[in-house]
C-alpha cells in the first residue's frame, strides 16, 4: 500500500542515505500527499518534502492515529512503528509555500 510522509525538504539527503528514521512517537503517514502536507503547514513549515512509501497493508507496525482533529484536517492519519528503509521510498514531491 502507498502512504505519504511529510518532512522538511532539508531532510532529503539524510533520507536518501538512511531512509526515514523513527522517532519516539513513530513515523506519521497519510493516504494522500496533500494530506501529509497539511500537518506541516499548520506548524508554519513552508518548504516541504513528501515521500511516497510502500507499507504492507496488514503490517502490525502500522496503526491508525487519532491524535488529530479529523474535522479540521479532513483526513485519516497513521503511525508506522519502525524505520522505513530507502528501498520502500518510491517517489518524493517538493512543496514550497510563500
Amino acid at each position: 500500500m502507498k502512504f505519504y510522509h511529510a518532512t522538511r525538504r532539508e531532510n532529503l539527503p539524510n533520507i536518501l542515505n538512511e531512509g526515514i528514521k523513527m522517532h519516539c512517537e513513530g513515523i506519521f503517514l497519510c493516504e494522500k500527499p496533500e494530506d501529509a502536507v497539511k500537518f506541516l503547514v499548520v506548524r508554519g513549515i513552508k518548504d516541504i518534502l513528501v515521500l511516497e512509501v510502500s507499507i504492507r497493508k496488514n503490517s502490525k507496525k502500522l496503526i491508525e492515529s487519532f491524535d488529530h482533529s479529523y474535522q479540521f484536517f479532513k483526513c485519516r492519519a497513521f503511525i508506522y512503528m519502525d524505520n522505513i528503509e530507502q528501498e520502500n521510498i518510491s517517489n518524493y514531491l517538493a512543496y514550497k509555500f510563500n
Side-chain angles (χ1 to χ4, degrees), residues 6-91:
T7 188
R8 296 175 187 270
R9 187 160 35 166
E10 65 198 39
N11 294 333
L12 180 59
N14 286 340
I15 290 169
L16 292 177
N17 288 326
E18 303 173 14
I20 305 169
K21 297 297 181 190
M22 184 184 90
H23 297 284
C24 57
E25 66 273 355
I27 297 171
F28 290 92
L29 303 170
C30 289
E31 296 171 298
K32 298 178 184 173
E34 57 270 19
D35 290 337
V37 168
K38 295 174 189 176
F39 288 89
L40 272 67
V41 169
V42 298
R43 293 174 35 210
I45 298 169
K46 297 181 179 191
D47 201 6
I48 299 171
L49 177 72
V50 177
L51 300 131
E52 181 182 75
V53 300
S54 297
I55 304 291
R56 285 186 301 113
K57 184 177 183 174
N58 298 326
S59 174
K60 293 181 194 250
K61 297 177 183 180
L62 181 69
I63 57 173
E64 188 165 358
S65 171
F66 297 99
D67 71 343
H68 68 290
S69 168
Y70 182 86
Q71 290 179 330
F72 179 80
F73 286 101
K74 306 267 188 262
C75 69
R76 295 169 61 198
F78 299 85
I79 300 173
Y80 188 70
M81 300 304 295
D82 200 355
N83 297 326
I84 297 175
E85 303 301 325
Q86 303 96 314
E87 60 264 16
N88 293 333
I89 301 170
S90 52
N91 199 7

